[in-house]
């Protein structure tokens, strides 16, 4: 029996061990998509307990706790930090097969120096030891980012944001990490959701554009993109259950916009007709600015109406959709490519049934503008598992060019979640090492080093021009 989470965790072959320890392990981190708060990074306040570091805002952990019948007060409620940690420890011991179990123990080892497995039996001892490490060490956000060897962080930011904290972070003399905004225009695109009219009012005010129709929305968003660019933004991000593509004429689109502004419900078809020209215009703008366009596909959000009303969004009640995505995605990318205005694009899917769809879609729109200009984004959220990451890389290896993959991002709100990059790198080295051991790929140390270091860090830095 192998020891749990030892130095060679997941590294089953000599080749895997060499690829990880000689190359992947030492590489810095480029976290090109996350949900960290730039305000928290700048203010640099230290958490007092491990519960504050781990359990505040982490819907992955809350879902596991709820699945063990734990009351909501221990997840998002007013239970004490210690009670919340004890309940999480109770749940974690049952999470065999869940990456939460691995993530938590990697973080305990790397940040707290604790190699005792966490369970209900060890919870109180680990809680005290972890809090002692926090009290005696430096667990401020900037220090955790620096300790994790992170060189770039791209947060997720609304077009109406003034980006004041990104500007303030730039002025810090003793913090060697770029913290850059990402442009997330979802609220301007989702005319079918409550609050749309109020949001358009905000966008009008901050952009200085009087918005009376959909073309004014485009003008306002383009102005905000220019502003974001001036503050260092090089990445956009948009998320859909499926990529909308439903061309319509100006009169019909403006009628849909007016209907949404009056607070009337619009159909899914009407929503797609409104979003299509705005998305195309944004894609052209991203191309002009030299940005990369991230498209996250496949989440069904806020499934529980009762929980959404009580707790709001992003609290652990989203799941994987099963829409057909190929045709509309193809038509959207082609609408930009036909005029040679398709930006660098990263396609993320949340349902692994679509791995082959995305891995083959890439090859339709590659160009000499960038190596693997169209990327198959890393497995994320519900696919952020050992099988999910392995299957994504296998699909890309089978059908594309894995050696030019831009690798992992955390998609996280936690300052200790960078252990996920180590987890990904171990899984990557396990897979590629096995291919070498099986004689499926020639043992050429120079090119293997380039591939491993590229997927770990270098490819992303080059792709985004960071």
């Amino acid at each position: 029996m192998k020891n749990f989470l030892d130095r060679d965790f997941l590294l089953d072959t000599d080749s895997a061990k060499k690829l990880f320890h000689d190359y992947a392990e030492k590489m810095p981190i480029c976290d090109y998509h996350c949900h960290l708060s730039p305000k928290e990074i700048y203010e640099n306040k230290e958490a007092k307990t491990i519960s504050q570091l781990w359990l505040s805002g982490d819907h992955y952990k809350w879902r596991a706790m709820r699945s063990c019948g734990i009351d909501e007060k221990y997840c998002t409620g007013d239970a004490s930090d210690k009670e919340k940690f004890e309940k999480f420890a109770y749940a974690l011991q049952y999470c065999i097969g869940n990456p939460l179990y691995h993530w938590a123990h990697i973080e305990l080892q790397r940040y707290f120096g604790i190699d005792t497995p966490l369970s209900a039996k060890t919870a109180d001892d680990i809680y005290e030891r972890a809090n002692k490490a926090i009290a005696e060490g430096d667990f401020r956000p900037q220090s955790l980012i620096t300790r994790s060897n992170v060189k770039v962080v791209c947060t997720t930011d609304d077009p109406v944001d003034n980006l004041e904290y990104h500007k303030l972070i730039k002025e810090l003399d003793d913090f060697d990490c770029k913290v850059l905004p990402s442009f997330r225009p979802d609220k301007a695109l989702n005319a079918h959701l409550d609050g749309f009219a109020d949001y358009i009012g905000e966008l009008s005010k901050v952009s200085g554009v009087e918005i009376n129709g959909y073309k004014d929305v485009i003008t306002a968003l383009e102005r905000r993109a220019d502003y974001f660019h001036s503050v260092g933004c090089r990445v956009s991000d948009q998320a859909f259950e499926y990529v909308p593509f439903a061309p319509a004429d100006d009169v019909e689109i403006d009628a849909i916009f007016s209907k949404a502004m009056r607070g009337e419900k619009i159909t899914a078809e009407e929503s797609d007709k409104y979003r299509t020209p705005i998305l195309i215009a944004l894609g052209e703008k991203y191309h002009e600015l030299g940005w990369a366009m991230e498209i996250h596909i496949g989440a069904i959000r806020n499934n529980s109406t009762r929980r959404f009303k009580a707790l709001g969004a992003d609290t652990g009640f989203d799941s994987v959709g099963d829409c057909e995505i190929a045709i509309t995605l193809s038509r959207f990318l082609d609408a930009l490519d036909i005029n040679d205005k398709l930006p660098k694009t990263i396609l993320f899917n949340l349902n692994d049934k679509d791995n082959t769809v995305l891995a083959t879609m890439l090859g339709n729109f590659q160009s000499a503008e960038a190596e693997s200009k169209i990327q198959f984004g890393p497995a994320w959220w519900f696919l952020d598992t050992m099988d999910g990451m392995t299957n994504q890389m296998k699909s890309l290896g089978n059908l594309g060019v894995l050696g030019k993959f831009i690798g992992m991002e955390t998609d996280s709100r936690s300052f200790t979640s960078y252990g996920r990059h180590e987890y990904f790198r171990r899984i990557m080295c396990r897979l590629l090492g096995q291919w070498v051991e099986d004689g499926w790929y020639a043992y050429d140390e120079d090119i293997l080093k380039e591939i491993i270091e590229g997927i770990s860090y270098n490819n992303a830095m080059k792709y985004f021009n960071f």
Side-chain angles (χ1 to χ4, degrees):
M1 181 174 64
K2 294 181 178 179
N3 292 326
F4 172 62
L5 210 71
D6 63 6
R7 182 175 184 271
D8 293 326
F9 174 59
L10 298 181
L11 307 175
D12 292 342
T13 64
D14 289 339
S15 293
K17 293 170 187 176
K18 181 174 182 59
L19 294 177
F20 180 75
H21 292 305
D22 288 2
Y23 308 128
E25 187 174 26
K26 66 184 179 182
M27 295 302 291
I29 289 173
C30 173
D31 198 23
Y32 58 84
H33 175 71
C34 74
H35 297 277
L36 294 178
S37 162
K39 180 176 185 289
E40 291 180 8
I41 295 173
Y42 176 73
E43 291 180 344
N44 207 26
K45 295 179 181 178
E46 188 168 59
K48 300 302 181 184
T49 69
I50 187 174
S51 295
Q52 292 174 20
L53 273 175
W54 269 18
L55 299 175
S56 176
D58 194 332
H59 52 78
Y60 289 85
K61 294 185 176 76
W62 297 340
R63 284 175 69 96
M65 293 165 73
R66 293 172 187 136
S67 293
C68 288
I70 292 171
D71 190 85
E72 192 63 30
K73 75 175 183 176
Y74 300 104
C75 301
T76 61
D78 60 359
S80 71
D81 285 357
K82 185 174 184 180
E83 288 174 322
K84 288 181 177 181
F85 186 81
E86 289 172 339
K87 292 296 186 182
F88 172 64
Y90 168 81
L92 188 68
Q93 66 190 352
Y94 296 106
C95 288
I96 185 168
N98 191 313
L100 267 177
Y101 192 80
H102 296 148
W103 295 343
H105 287 98
I106 289 172
E107 291 178 37
L108 282 174
Q109 286 190 11
R110 303 298 175 262
Y111 295 101
F112 300 94
I114 296 172
D115 57 11
T116 304
L118 179 59
S119 67
K121 291 183 294 187
T122 63
D124 289 346
D125 176 60
I126 290 177
Y127 184 75
E128 296 303 322
R129 290 165 65 189
N131 290 346
K132 185 173 186 289
I134 292 172
E136 296 177 353
D138 187 351
F139 280 73
R140 293 173 298 172
Q142 292 174 28
S143 299
L144 290 170
I145 289 170
T146 300
R147 284 170 58 188
S148 303
N149 201 15
V150 183
K151 298 302 182 184
V152 179
V153 167
C154 293
T155 59
T156 301
D157 309 277
D158 193 278
V160 303
D161 198 307
N162 63 16
L163 306 181
E164 62 175 312
Y165 290 103
H166 293 88
K167 295 177 181 178
L168 290 169
I169 291 169
K170 277 186 179 181
E171 298 173 4
L172 296 173
D173 294 327
D174 55 351
F175 182 49
D176 183 26
C177 177
K178 291 182 180 179
V179 179
L180 306 176
S182 297
F183 190 77
R184 179 80 173 238
D186 289 11
K187 289 182 180 178
L189 293 166
N190 292 332
H192 58 291
L193 296 182
D194 293 341
F196 174 73
D198 290 339
Y199 179 78
I200 293 299
E202 284 188 70
L203 179 62
S204 176
K205 182 178 179 180
V206 76
S207 66
V209 175
E210 184 178 344
I211 299 178
N212 297 307
Y214 86 91
K215 289 184 177 179
D216 300 325
V217 175
I218 292 172
T219 300
L221 289 172
E222 288 176 339
R223 284 194 185 180
R224 296 305 295 167
D226 286 331
Y227 173 69
F228 269 56
H229 190 79
S230 73
V231 184
C233 178
R234 298 296 181 267
V235 185
S236 73
D237 179 33
Q238 26 278 303
F240 308 103
E241 190 176 345
Y242 57 90
V243 176
F245 188 79
D249 61 43
D250 290 351
V251 173
E252 184 176 7
I253 298 167
D254 272 333
I256 294 167
F257 174 74
S258 297
K259 184 177 178 181
M261 290 296 289
R262 293 193 298 268
E264 299 177 23
K265 292 294 183 183
I266 63 174
T267 66
E269 182 182 4
E270 288 173 328
S271 177
D272 289 351
K273 288 179 178 179
Y274 164 75
R275 292 189 287 186
T276 296
I278 299 177
L279 274 174
I280 292 172
L282 285 175
E284 292 176 348
K285 184 65 176 180
Y286 303 153
H287 183 268
E288 173 193 323
L289 294 171
W291 289 8
M293 174 173 65
E294 297 178 352
I295 302 178
H296 287 82
I297 305 167
I300 302 178
R301 299 180 186 273
N302 306 318
N303 290 270
S304 170
T305 301
R306 177 174 64 88
R307 296 292 199 174
F308 177 69
K309 288 180 178 179
L311 303 173
D314 302 320
T315 51
F317 300 95
D318 306 326
S319 60
V320 176
D322 62 353
C323 292
E324 295 181 356
I325 68 168
I327 297 299
T328 55
L329 173 59
S330 169
R331 294 305 84 211
F332 169 63
L333 296 176
D334 189 57
L336 290 164
D337 184 66
I338 199 168
N339 294 315
D340 200 19
K341 293 184 178 180
L342 177 62
K344 291 180 289 187
T345 301
I346 309 164
L347 303 173
F348 299 79
N349 70 295
L350 199 54
N351 191 328
D352 54 8
K353 76 175 178 62
D354 297 319
N355 280 356
T356 301
V357 171
L358 293 198
T360 57
M361 189 67 70
L362 313 177
N364 299 327
F365 301 103
Q366 304 290 15
S367 82
E369 291 176 68
E371 295 180 334
S372 288
K373 173 185 170 180
I374 315 301
Q375 288 272 338
F376 185 1
W380 65 294
W381 202 347
F382 294 108
L383 294 182
D384 198 4
T385 64
M386 192 183 304
D387 288 342
M389 287 186 273
T390 300
N391 291 337
Q392 184 269 344
M393 285 186 278
K394 281 185 175 180
S395 292
L396 182 53
N398 289 339
L399 300 165
V401 181
L402 181 58
K404 295 299 181 180
F405 176 37
I406 57 173
M408 182 63 171
E409 33 72 89
T410 60
D411 190 34
S412 173
R413 293 168 173 79
S414 169
F415 290 104
T416 59
S417 64
Y418 290 107
R420 297 183 191 181
H421 280 262
E422 177 185 333
Y423 192 54
F424 165 81
R425 291 175 186 183
R426 286 178 179 272
I427 291 167
M428 170 184 64
C429 291
R430 183 189 197 199
L431 176 64
L432 273 61
Q434 189 63 59
W435 287 345
V436 171
E437 293 278 335
D438 288 343
W440 294 5
Y441 187 84
Y443 183 78
D444 182 327
E445 190 164 345
D446 291 338
I447 192 65
L448 283 166
K449 176 178 185 291
E450 181 183 345
I451 288 172
I452 294 298
E453 292 182 348
I455 297 173
S456 297
Y457 177 74
N458 292 336
N459 291 350
M461 293 296 289
K462 184 177 181 181
Y463 183 80
F464 292 106
N465 295 320
F466 290 150

